[in-house]
Amino acid sequence: MAGLYFLRAAVVAVRALCKPQIDRVADDRVASATTGLTGDAAEQAKQCAVRQLNDEIALAIANFTGLKTL
């Protein structure tokens, strides 16, 4: 259970430290994912792109820190 706490803390810390860069990447991914889409399809693509980025960030932090449970 302690590993879960430390991994979440690491994710929060990295996201806070790297917020401008993460926001820039998220904007690029959302723009790419929603090209040509409108309405619900665009919103769904946006959510999927952001979720994928969040997963990638968490996995990278987990691998870097050696904490594997989120």
Side-chain angles (χ1 to χ4, degrees):
M1 199 60 148
L4 175 63
Y5 172 79
F6 290 121
L7 180 54
R8 285 183 191 231
V11 169
V12 169
V14 168
R15 289 188 65 82
L17 182 65
C18 300
K19 184 169 179 14
Q21 294 86 349
I22 292 169
D23 287 348
R24 215 172 13 255
V25 171
D27 290 345
D28 289 345
R29 297 248 185 123
V30 167
S32 178
T34 59
T35 300
L37 301 176
T38 59
D40 289 342
E43 183 60 30
Q44 190 172 25
K46 174 184 174 182
Q47 290 175 5
C48 184
V50 170
R51 198 173 314 116
Q52 170 125 12
L53 178 59
N54 289 340
D55 289 348
E56 290 173 22
I57 292 167
L59 182 60
I61 294 166
N63 287 334
F64 183 76
T65 61
L67 301 168
K68 301 291 184 180
T69 304
L70 185 59

